[in-house]
Every structure is written in structure tokens, then in C-alpha cells.
Amino acid sequence: MAAFLARRLAQSGLILFIVIFLTYWLMGLMPGDPIDLMVQSNPDLTPADAARLKALYGLDQPIITRFWNWLTQALQGDFGYSRLFGQPVWEVLWPRLVNTLILMLPVVLLSIVIAVPLGLLAARKAYGWFDYTVNLASFAGISVPPFWFAILMIIGFAVTLNWLPASAAPPGDAGLMDHLRHLILPVATLTILNVGTYLRFMRAASLQTLRQDYVRTALAKGVSETRLLTHHVLRNALLPLVTIIALSFGSLFSGTLIIETIFAWPGMGKTIYDSVLGNDYNLAMVGFLLATATTLLGNILADLCYGLLDPRIELEEVKLGG
Amino acid sequence: MRWIQLTCLLLTFIISGTAWAENKRLVIGISQYPGSLHPAYDSMMAKSYILGMTRRPISVYDANWEDVCLLCTELPDFDKGTAKYVVTESGKEGIAVTYSLDPKAVWGDGTPITTRDVMFTWEVGANPESGIDNFEFYRRIEKIEVIDDKTFTLVMNRRSCDYQGIPGFTLLPSHVDRPYSDDPREYQNRTLYEKDPTNPALWYGPYRVSNVQNGQSITLVRNERWWGKKPWFDEIEIRAIENTAALTANLLSGDIDMIAGESGLTTDQALAFERRHGDDFQFIYKQGLVYEHIDLMLENPILADVRVRRALLQGIDRDAISQQLFAGKQPVAHGSVNPLDSVYNPDAPRYDFDPEAASRLLEEAGWTLASDGVRRNAEGEKLQLELMTTAGNKTRELVEQVLQSQWKKIGVDVRIRNEPARVFFGETVSKRKFTGMAMFAWFSSPKHIPLTTLKSDQIPNEENNWAGQNYTGYAKPEMDQLIEDMDLKCEADQNQAAWDRMQELYATDLPVLPLYYRANPYILPKDLKGLVPTGHQYPSTLWVENWHRAP
């Protein structure tokens, strides 16, 4: 177990380094920089000003030099300042990370709570009206463009019915209930968009499990429907779902750009996007570092969960297999 | 019966009056969140908009596009001796301008605004390591002579006709921010504007920042120390909603009260919104200084011929574009100087839509119409040009298609090739890689001298590290001289003569095809009064104390 973990952590470290380097390099390949864009919008900025600002922010240095400087500082725990926000990177990212968790954690939990029982039931009642309804809803959730659906939710619940606020951000002096009220629409929107994927995986895995001999045997032995689904099918059907949840673990920390933009919720997705476009390397790198590290961590946790859910899977086998 | 009616009327009046009295909170939606609230870094409109309510520049352009004092008592004047030509200590021919700060002006913590703040601002601004945006402005200040606590003289090392206004001089609070400026390289990160933006000592406008929800909203409350007219609203919240569809949905749901014209919707978006909800809000479209145009690559042999350039302009119906796409709210531009600008020359040549004249010019230039509808020269080469703009900008893409179809009618084959803004501005335009036409906008200020866009030494190239914005490659000694004259000949007649001739030359040589001036659409509550849009980079919020609700 310890050897497995050490190996996985070493592999993850290597992947992390490669991802970070590639990200830095790709950002460096983008033409232009924020100072070029600033020149377009500030009539008082002279070419000399632009050249001086580029030198000051190191934008005139070769990409490898900039990466090396960043890496050596980061390894010493100095992630620097955000160029866009003028604050230490962690001071910018921390509240946004919290915001992202506030938004994404209920979404993932709600998605699981909804997807697991519905997926199980849909599989049990496969090709019946219930299954078709659940499938239709799942496909709708998966296929609908998030941007369009979010706007539709705002128009429906905030503009027409006036039940809920249109944005996720409450006024500065808002209390807890007001905060929660503002979160209902984005959480509901994301959950509806998210649940379909989980549901499809849960249904497919349950359907496969229901065809197993041991399920037939259990039924022949007179096991009740509830016990069959919860004790015999659920545990075996959870494996693929664990993989999907592990893969989406990163999104808990990296956020969701479109929903954050539409509901004016400053989370990690929007911050990473802005930092890439604004050539804010310090901010973008730490954002990517977090998103990649948490995704890798999610995968390690998933490997551990496989062993827990199915004792037949040994971690060494996972290593050999994967 | 009559007294019942009168009582009802009185009650209605009292109730509605109470409603107005109670609603002293205004929530403004903008489409951008400022990265920093420090006035000297990262200039962006969203920040200027907010700072307009919390600070007062020494001087600005007002809604009539005239220089006015906001923090000073009067503008420098040669007749009054507050402006005079001098030879500076370094031997340069310069100008000395004297300003007096408003004697009542204080920071939000009650500390008087004095020349100590002026000196501190100069120290920070003139240090290249501090990273201030417009360092070149501070570099022009050779010396500041402090006369007393409120009066100072700026000695500029270069004579310039724009001596009256110093909008770039953004005062910083010496009494609280000086300790953070010991290390100029670190000042940008250590300044109180980053560490404690709600500190009242940083602000000196009718409002001060009371709450910052990073990335979401900024709340302003009345500045108790404000020395001017008391603002009507108790509290103003500025909420950033970048997605414009969500911005309008927030307006309809009542989450925000208005959308700022300076940083909100585009004119076509506002027009579409007005068509559906015109009765619920008041709409103001203020034409401004954002100048949409097409830069022509003059090194392209086709475009090197001025007859072709004129034919291209006469071949497009800009009036129809303005009317059909923008309901006339974005007027046709005939040059780079806006008609609202005091230096505008109404007699400069202009080219109205005349496809027949355009065809004649092309014939004269040796481009004859072939059977496939595209003109060819004697060598059989097609009259084919590439038109580029920023991909994803729906308005520009729409205008591009209209232009393409209108040019097709006079036998010009225009190929559209768009790029993301980052590539377009960062590479294609700034390094002059476009082969034909590049459509984009210039932001300028009133009386803005087109030094970087028209002077021959401002053509970007590898040797000058791509500095300058004369992307067309336009080079004419007369234009160079006129630009110098506009900057240095300050006698009213001589100065205006230079401006007039510059506009004539611009319209005659046509290095650029003028299209239209963009407008700022303001969507306001019906009962909001006192907001006067300016149309330039100094936002309407600089006069926020005049805003109020009224039936």
C-alpha cells in the first residue's frame, strides 16, 4: 500500500511538472500581451511607456528564463503577486477557491444524491416509461448548452417569476440566508447540467450488474427488491461512478467558467481564464497547479476507493493494469 | 367628494415621495471588474468609472469637452501669469504652470490635501521602477516648485499646448501611502489601495469605498468629509456582470437599477433591449470618442494609389450602416476628429456614398471591370483585398459583411479573415502583418494630437522594437510638421490652423477609412435625473453628486 502510494505520488509529481511547463510554454506562445491591449484603450500611453512596462513585468524576457525564475521562486514557497490584481497570488486565489467550493460541493453532492437512486431505478425498470423519462432528462441535461440554460433559468426564475435573485453574488452586507438564496439558481443550474452524466453512468453500470449471475441467484433466493438494489447492485455499480466523480474532483477546485461568468460569481474558473488572457503567469500557474494537483489527487483517491468497494481489486493490480 | 379626491392625491404624493426618499441606494451594473483600485495602475474604464465617484482629478474635460478644474481653483493662464514659457534648469524650452488646490479639499479621514501629496505623487510617478502607466507624463515634469500648502508650479521640460489640463496627475495620499513607497518596485503590491482599499484616507470624492467583494462588487457610501455638494444617494453599489445577457437579465429582475454607458452594453445590444423594454427605462445614447475605422496598408501596391482609397470610401454607404445597424445613434465619421471636439474642422473634405464616382476612380486607376464582376489591372491581376478585424465582435463582423457586399458592387473582391483580439492587436496590427485592411477602433481624448498614429517616426518596425501606432505606414513631411505645430503653436489661430490643415490632409490622403463614432448607451431608471454622459474617457460619475431620483 505504501509502495503503491509512493509510486503514484511520484508519477503525479512528474505529470504535474509536465503540465505546468506546457501551460507556461503555451501561454508564452500566445501573441501579444496585456500591455499591447492596454495601448489600444489608453490614448495617453506612449510607445516608451509600453516598452518600459513590458520590461518591468518581464514580458520582454525569453519564455524559458521566465519559467525558470517562476519555478525557483515557487519551489521556495514564493508564488509572487498577481499582475492583474496587484495582490499576492494566494490572497487572490483563496477567496475564489472558497467560492468555487461553495458552489461546486453542493452541486457534486446533489448530483450524486439524485443520480445514484435514479440510475439504479432506471436500470431496474429498464426500457419502461420511467427509464425513458430519466434517459430523456439525462440527455437533455448533457446536451443543453450551459450558457443558454443558465440564461433561461435567470429569465424564468429571476425575471418572470421574480422568485430568486439573478446573480449569485449578494450585496456586501447580506446575511447567511441571503447568501443561500443567491446560490440557489447557480447550484440548481449546474446540478441539472451535471446530473445527467452521473445518471447515465450509474444506469449503465447498474444494468450490467443486474445481468450478473449473483443477482439472479439473489432474486431466486427471494431477496427483496430494496435489499437487492442496495446490497447487491449498488456497491458493484459504483465503480464506474467513482471514476467519473474522481475525474470531476478537479472541477471542485477549478470551477466552471460559463456559470461563474453568467451568475457573476468570482470563482476559480473565471480567475484562471482571466489570468491566462491577461498573461498573469503567477496567478494562472497556481490556478493550474491546484486544478491539476486536485485532479491527480482525485485519481489516487479513486484507486483507493476501488480497493475498498471491491476487495478483489488489489492496489498492486491497479498499478500493473493502469 | 372633492376633499376625498384631494386627500387621495396628497396620500399618493406622500407615499410616492416616501418611496423615493427611501430608495437612496443605487445599484449600477457594469461589464468589467477593475483589477486594482489604485488610480495610477492598469487604466481601464471600469476603474475610472468607480474612481470618478471616490476621487477628484485636478482637472478634467467636462461634458462639453472643455478643460475644467475639479480639485484646482482655476486653470493656468498666460494672461494671469499662472502659465509662462521658461528655460528649464536643464536648458530645455519648457513651460511652468501654477495650480492652487481647493482650500477645502481633504482626504476621507479629514487630512487636508496639500502640496505634500503633490510631491509624493510626483516621486512615485517619476520613478520608472514604480510601474506607473503614464510615466512619460511624469518624466516631462522637470521640477515642482512648492509655493505653499495648496499652491505649486509644475515646470515641464517641453512646451505643449495642452498645458492647461493635467488629468494624468492622479494625487496619492502622502500621509498614509508614503511608508509603502520606500521600495518603488514593491510599491504597486504594498500600496494601501491594495491592502486596505476601504481606508477612508485613500478617497476624496463624494463617496468612499466601504466594501469590496473581490471580483463581484464594490460598495460606496457617502464621504462625510466631502467638501462639495452633498450627494443624494446614501449608498451606491457597482456590480460587475461580464456577460451582457446576464447583465440585462439582472436589470429586468431588479437586481441592478441601471447599466453604465461607459462599461456596459454595445449600442446594438442596447437598441435590441430598448425595442423590447423601451417603456420601462430611460435610454441615452451618447456619441463619443471611440473612432471605428479601417487602417489601410499603404505598402500594398493596390492601396498605395490614393484613387483606390477614395473609391473604397465612396463605394460604401456609411449612412445606411449607421441607420440600419445603429438606428443613427453611431454617427458616420468623416475623420479622426469628432464633430463635438472644439478643434473639429467642418470644411475638411468628406466622401459621401457614390458608387458611380467610385467606379470612375477605379477606372482611372487602371482597374477595369471583368466579366466575373471583379476588376483587373493591365497585368490581369484581380482587385482583391483582405479585410481583417477582431473575431467574435458581432458588430464588427456584421459591418464587415455589409462592406464586403457593397465593395463587390463596384468590382472589389474583399476577403474576410478575422483573428482573436489577442492575435489581431498583439501580432497582426502591431507588427503590421495585415496585407490590406484592418478594422478596429481608436480611443482618444478631446484635442488628442495623432502623434503616435500619423507621424512618420511612429511606424512600427523591427528596428524600433515595433513601437508606435502608425500601422498604415503613412509618411508625409507636411503631416509631421502639422503635428508638431498642433503641439507647440499655442496661439489660438495658429493652433486651429494646424488642426484644420491636419484634418484636410487626413481626408485627402486617406491613410485610413473613417467609419463611425461609437456611442455609449446608458440604460437608466426612469426616475434617475442629473446624469450627464460625457462621451470621452472622463466618466459621468465625476459629477455623481448631481444624480438623484425625482418623479
Side-chain angles (χ1 to χ4, degrees), chain B residues 265-288:
Chain B
L265 304 184
T266 58
T267 300
D268 49 329
Q269 286 170 337
L271 285 167
F273 186 79
E274 188 179 5
R275 277 193 287 274
R276 281 174 282 135
H277 308 285
D279 294 337
D280 305 327
F281 302 93
Q282 54 169 321
F283 293 78
I284 303 175
Y285 297 87
K286 174 71 181 177
Q287 67 153 300

mmCIF file of all heavy atoms in Angstrom, chain B residues 265-288:
data_model
loop_
_atom_site.group_PDB
_atom_site.id
_atom_site.type_symbol
_atom_site.label_atom_id
_atom_site.label_comp_id
_atom_site.label_asym_id
_atom_site.label_seq_id
_atom_site.Cartn_x
_atom_site.Cartn_y
_atom_site.Cartn_z
ATOM 1 N N LEU B 265 -23.336 47.808 -22.224
ATOM 2 C CA LEU B 265 -23.738 47.148 -23.466
ATOM 3 C C LEU B 265 -23.178 47.902 -24.676
ATOM 4 O O LEU B 265 -22.833 49.078 -24.587
ATOM 5 C CB LEU B 265 -25.260 47.129 -23.574
ATOM 6 C CG LEU B 265 -26.051 46.501 -22.433
ATOM 7 C CD1 LEU B 265 -27.538 46.501 -22.779
ATOM 8 C CD2 LEU B 265 -25.594 45.081 -22.161
ATOM 9 N N THR B 266 -23.140 47.200 -25.805
ATOM 10 C CA THR B 266 -22.828 47.890 -27.050
ATOM 11 C C THR B 266 -24.118 48.532 -27.564
ATOM 12 O O THR B 266 -25.219 48.194 -27.092
ATOM 13 C CB THR B 266 -22.301 46.908 -28.113
ATOM 14 O OG1 THR B 266 -23.292 45.906 -28.311
ATOM 15 C CG2 THR B 266 -21.007 46.252 -27.664
ATOM 16 N N THR B 267 -23.984 49.433 -28.523
ATOM 17 C CA THR B 267 -25.172 50.152 -28.998
ATOM 18 C C THR B 267 -26.210 49.201 -29.581
ATOM 19 O O THR B 267 -27.409 49.342 -29.313
ATOM 20 C CB THR B 267 -24.757 51.196 -30.049
ATOM 21 O OG1 THR B 267 -23.845 52.089 -29.417
ATOM 22 C CG2 THR B 267 -25.940 51.991 -30.557
ATOM 23 N N ASP B 268 -25.769 48.217 -30.364
ATOM 24 C CA ASP B 268 -26.756 47.309 -30.969
ATOM 25 C C ASP B 268 -27.454 46.468 -29.904
ATOM 26 O O ASP B 268 -28.660 46.200 -30.005
ATOM 27 C CB ASP B 268 -26.128 46.434 -32.065
ATOM 28 C CG ASP B 268 -24.858 45.768 -31.614
ATOM 29 O OD1 ASP B 268 -24.155 46.352 -30.790
ATOM 30 O OD2 ASP B 268 -24.561 44.649 -32.074
ATOM 31 N N GLN B 269 -26.727 46.085 -28.854
ATOM 32 C CA GLN B 269 -27.367 45.332 -27.766
ATOM 33 C C GLN B 269 -28.395 46.214 -27.052
ATOM 34 O O GLN B 269 -29.498 45.771 -26.733
ATOM 35 C CB GLN B 269 -26.312 44.871 -26.755
ATOM 36 C CG GLN B 269 -25.450 43.720 -27.253
ATOM 37 C CD GLN B 269 -24.267 43.458 -26.337
ATOM 38 O OE1 GLN B 269 -23.819 44.320 -25.596
ATOM 39 N NE2 GLN B 269 -23.744 42.244 -26.392
ATOM 40 N N ALA B 270 -28.018 47.476 -26.824
ATOM 41 C CA ALA B 270 -28.931 48.385 -26.134
ATOM 42 C C ALA B 270 -30.167 48.666 -26.985
ATOM 43 O O ALA B 270 -31.290 48.731 -26.464
ATOM 44 C CB ALA B 270 -28.216 49.685 -25.801
ATOM 45 N N LEU B 271 -29.955 48.789 -28.293
ATOM 46 C CA LEU B 271 -31.100 49.040 -29.181
ATOM 47 C C LEU B 271 -32.065 47.857 -29.161
ATOM 48 O O LEU B 271 -33.282 48.040 -29.118
ATOM 49 C CB LEU B 271 -30.606 49.299 -30.612
ATOM 50 C CG LEU B 271 -29.978 50.676 -30.858
ATOM 51 C CD1 LEU B 271 -29.243 50.693 -32.183
ATOM 52 C CD2 LEU B 271 -31.051 51.761 -30.823
ATOM 53 N N ALA B 272 -31.504 46.646 -29.181
ATOM 54 C CA ALA B 272 -32.359 45.450 -29.137
ATOM 55 C C ALA B 272 -33.124 45.404 -27.818
ATOM 56 O O ALA B 272 -34.316 45.072 -27.778
ATOM 57 C CB ALA B 272 -31.487 44.199 -29.289
ATOM 58 N N PHE B 273 -32.451 45.778 -26.740
ATOM 59 C CA PHE B 273 -33.102 45.790 -25.427
ATOM 60 C C PHE B 273 -34.195 46.865 -25.385
ATOM 61 O O PHE B 273 -35.275 46.646 -24.851
ATOM 62 C CB PHE B 273 -32.038 46.058 -24.350
ATOM 63 C CG PHE B 273 -32.550 45.960 -22.947
ATOM 64 C CD1 PHE B 273 -32.738 44.725 -22.337
ATOM 65 C CD2 PHE B 273 -32.838 47.099 -22.211
ATOM 66 C CE1 PHE B 273 -33.220 44.633 -21.037
ATOM 67 C CE2 PHE B 273 -33.317 47.016 -20.914
ATOM 68 C CZ PHE B 273 -33.505 45.776 -20.323
ATOM 69 N N GLU B 274 -33.899 48.006 -25.987
ATOM 70 C CA GLU B 274 -34.870 49.107 -25.987
ATOM 71 C C GLU B 274 -36.141 48.740 -26.749
ATOM 72 O O GLU B 274 -37.241 49.119 -26.357
ATOM 73 C CB GLU B 274 -34.238 50.368 -26.596
ATOM 74 C CG GLU B 274 -35.129 51.594 -26.452
ATOM 75 C CD GLU B 274 -34.529 52.861 -27.026
ATOM 76 O OE1 GLU B 274 -33.441 52.783 -27.640
ATOM 77 O OE2 GLU B 274 -35.149 53.924 -26.862
ATOM 78 N N ARG B 275 -35.950 47.968 -27.831
ATOM 79 C CA ARG B 275 -37.124 47.567 -28.614
ATOM 80 C C ARG B 275 -38.096 46.754 -27.758
ATOM 81 O O ARG B 275 -39.298 46.844 -27.906
ATOM 82 C CB ARG B 275 -36.694 46.763 -29.841
ATOM 83 C CG ARG B 275 -36.265 47.654 -31.008
ATOM 84 C CD ARG B 275 -36.144 46.860 -32.301
ATOM 85 N NE ARG B 275 -34.975 45.995 -32.308
ATOM 86 C CZ ARG B 275 -33.759 46.385 -32.674
ATOM 87 N NH1 ARG B 275 -33.553 47.628 -33.056
ATOM 88 N NH2 ARG B 275 -32.747 45.556 -32.653
ATOM 89 N N ARG B 276 -37.563 45.958 -26.835
ATOM 90 C CA ARG B 276 -38.425 45.086 -26.019
ATOM 91 C C ARG B 276 -38.879 45.749 -24.716
ATOM 92 O O ARG B 276 -39.956 45.473 -24.220
ATOM 93 C CB ARG B 276 -37.696 43.779 -25.713
ATOM 94 C CG ARG B 276 -37.719 42.790 -26.882
ATOM 95 C CD ARG B 276 -36.888 41.582 -26.608
ATOM 96 N NE ARG B 276 -35.478 41.890 -26.809
ATOM 97 C CZ ARG B 276 -34.511 41.536 -25.984
ATOM 98 N NH1 ARG B 276 -34.783 40.872 -24.897
ATOM 99 N NH2 ARG B 276 -33.262 41.848 -26.230
ATOM 100 N N HIS B 277 -38.030 46.591 -24.156
ATOM 101 C CA HIS B 277 -38.334 47.124 -22.822
ATOM 102 C C HIS B 277 -38.202 48.640 -22.779
ATOM 103 O O HIS B 277 -37.880 49.205 -21.739
ATOM 104 C CB HIS B 277 -37.385 46.493 -21.789
ATOM 105 C CG HIS B 277 -37.357 45.007 -21.833
ATOM 106 N ND1 HIS B 277 -38.380 44.229 -21.331
ATOM 107 C CD2 HIS B 277 -36.449 44.142 -22.347
ATOM 108 C CE1 HIS B 277 -38.095 42.949 -21.533
ATOM 109 N NE2 HIS B 277 -36.941 42.869 -22.146
ATOM 110 N N GLY B 278 -38.448 49.278 -23.918
ATOM 111 C CA GLY B 278 -38.261 50.721 -24.011
ATOM 112 C C GLY B 278 -39.103 51.524 -23.048
ATOM 113 O O GLY B 278 -38.719 52.625 -22.655
ATOM 114 N N ASP B 279 -40.267 50.974 -22.649
ATOM 115 C CA ASP B 279 -41.159 51.741 -21.776
ATOM 116 C C ASP B 279 -40.725 51.707 -20.315
ATOM 117 O O ASP B 279 -41.195 52.508 -19.509
ATOM 118 C CB ASP B 279 -42.591 51.186 -21.875
ATOM 119 C CG ASP B 279 -43.154 51.415 -23.265
ATOM 120 O OD1 ASP B 279 -42.652 52.334 -23.946
ATOM 121 O OD2 ASP B 279 -44.072 50.673 -23.667
ATOM 122 N N ASP B 280 -39.861 50.764 -19.983
ATOM 123 C CA ASP B 280 -39.539 50.572 -18.563
ATOM 124 C C ASP B 280 -38.325 51.352 -18.091
ATOM 125 O O ASP B 280 -38.075 51.444 -16.887
ATOM 126 C CB ASP B 280 -39.301 49.075 -18.285
ATOM 127 C CG ASP B 280 -40.487 48.245 -18.722
ATOM 128 O OD1 ASP B 280 -41.618 48.767 -18.625
ATOM 129 O OD2 ASP B 280 -40.294 47.093 -19.164
ATOM 130 N N PHE B 281 -37.527 51.853 -19.012
ATOM 131 C CA PHE B 281 -36.286 52.530 -18.625
ATOM 132 C C PHE B 281 -36.092 53.774 -19.483
ATOM 133 O O PHE B 281 -36.778 53.949 -20.493
ATOM 134 C CB PHE B 281 -35.069 51.603 -18.849
ATOM 135 C CG PHE B 281 -35.153 50.304 -18.098
ATOM 136 C CD1 PHE B 281 -35.682 49.162 -18.679
ATOM 137 C CD2 PHE B 281 -34.713 50.235 -16.782
ATOM 138 C CE1 PHE B 281 -35.765 47.969 -17.979
ATOM 139 C CE2 PHE B 281 -34.788 49.048 -16.070
ATOM 140 C CZ PHE B 281 -35.324 47.912 -16.676
ATOM 141 N N GLN B 282 -35.174 54.633 -19.067
ATOM 142 C CA GLN B 282 -34.788 55.731 -19.977
ATOM 143 C C GLN B 282 -33.458 55.356 -20.644
ATOM 144 O O GLN B 282 -32.576 54.766 -20.010
ATOM 145 C CB GLN B 282 -34.693 57.079 -19.262
ATOM 146 C CG GLN B 282 -33.807 57.132 -18.050
ATOM 147 C CD GLN B 282 -33.580 58.567 -17.573
ATOM 148 O OE1 GLN B 282 -33.418 59.482 -18.376
ATOM 149 N NE2 GLN B 282 -33.548 58.750 -16.258
ATOM 150 N N PHE B 283 -33.372 55.665 -21.908
ATOM 151 C CA PHE B 283 -32.190 55.304 -22.699
ATOM 152 C C PHE B 283 -31.506 56.575 -23.189
ATOM 153 O O PHE B 283 -32.153 57.472 -23.727
ATOM 154 C CB PHE B 283 -32.592 54.458 -23.920
ATOM 155 C CG PHE B 283 -33.117 53.100 -23.552
ATOM 156 C CD1 PHE B 283 -34.419 52.951 -23.082
ATOM 157 C CD2 PHE B 283 -32.318 51.979 -23.649
ATOM 158 C CE1 PHE B 283 -34.908 51.698 -22.721
ATOM 159 C CE2 PHE B 283 -32.789 50.725 -23.301
ATOM 160 C CZ PHE B 283 -34.088 50.592 -22.834
ATOM 161 N N ILE B 284 -30.196 56.636 -22.973
ATOM 162 C CA ILE B 284 -29.417 57.762 -23.502
ATOM 163 C C ILE B 284 -28.269 57.172 -24.327
ATOM 164 O O ILE B 284 -27.550 56.295 -23.849
ATOM 165 C CB ILE B 284 -28.820 58.623 -22.370
ATOM 166 C CG1 ILE B 284 -29.915 59.146 -21.431
ATOM 167 C CG2 ILE B 284 -28.012 59.779 -22.941
ATOM 168 C CD1 ILE B 284 -29.388 59.897 -20.217
ATOM 169 N N TYR B 285 -28.146 57.634 -25.554
ATOM 170 C CA TYR B 285 -27.024 57.203 -26.399
ATOM 171 C C TYR B 285 -26.114 58.411 -26.595
ATOM 172 O O TYR B 285 -26.533 59.394 -27.210
ATOM 173 C CB TYR B 285 -27.519 56.699 -27.753
ATOM 174 C CG TYR B 285 -28.398 55.473 -27.645
ATOM 175 C CD1 TYR B 285 -29.772 55.597 -27.430
ATOM 176 C CD2 TYR B 285 -27.860 54.195 -27.737
ATOM 177 C CE1 TYR B 285 -30.583 54.479 -27.318
ATOM 178 C CE2 TYR B 285 -28.665 53.077 -27.636
ATOM 179 C CZ TYR B 285 -30.021 53.219 -27.417
ATOM 180 O OH TYR B 285 -30.809 52.113 -27.303
ATOM 181 N N LYS B 286 -24.940 58.346 -26.043
ATOM 182 C CA LYS B 286 -24.039 59.487 -26.145
ATOM 183 C C LYS B 286 -22.904 59.144 -27.097
ATOM 184 O O LYS B 286 -22.099 58.241 -26.819
ATOM 185 C CB LYS B 286 -23.480 59.820 -24.765
ATOM 186 C CG LYS B 286 -22.420 60.896 -24.743
ATOM 187 C CD LYS B 286 -22.990 62.273 -25.025
ATOM 188 C CE LYS B 286 -21.885 63.343 -25.018
ATOM 189 N NZ LYS B 286 -22.406 64.656 -25.350
ATOM 190 N N GLN B 287 -22.862 59.856 -28.215
ATOM 191 C CA GLN B 287 -21.761 59.569 -29.149
ATOM 192 C C GLN B 287 -20.448 60.021 -28.528
ATOM 193 O O GLN B 287 -20.413 60.997 -27.757
ATOM 194 C CB GLN B 287 -21.985 60.226 -30.507
ATOM 195 C CG GLN B 287 -21.925 61.724 -30.503
ATOM 196 C CD GLN B 287 -21.490 62.247 -31.869
ATOM 197 O OE1 GLN B 287 -20.413 61.940 -32.356
ATOM 198 N NE2 GLN B 287 -22.350 63.044 -32.475
ATOM 199 N N GLY B 288 -19.410 59.290 -28.840
ATOM 200 C CA GLY B 288 -18.171 59.562 -28.130
ATOM 201 C C GLY B 288 -16.939 59.519 -28.990
ATOM 202 O O GLY B 288 -17.003 59.637 -30.222
#
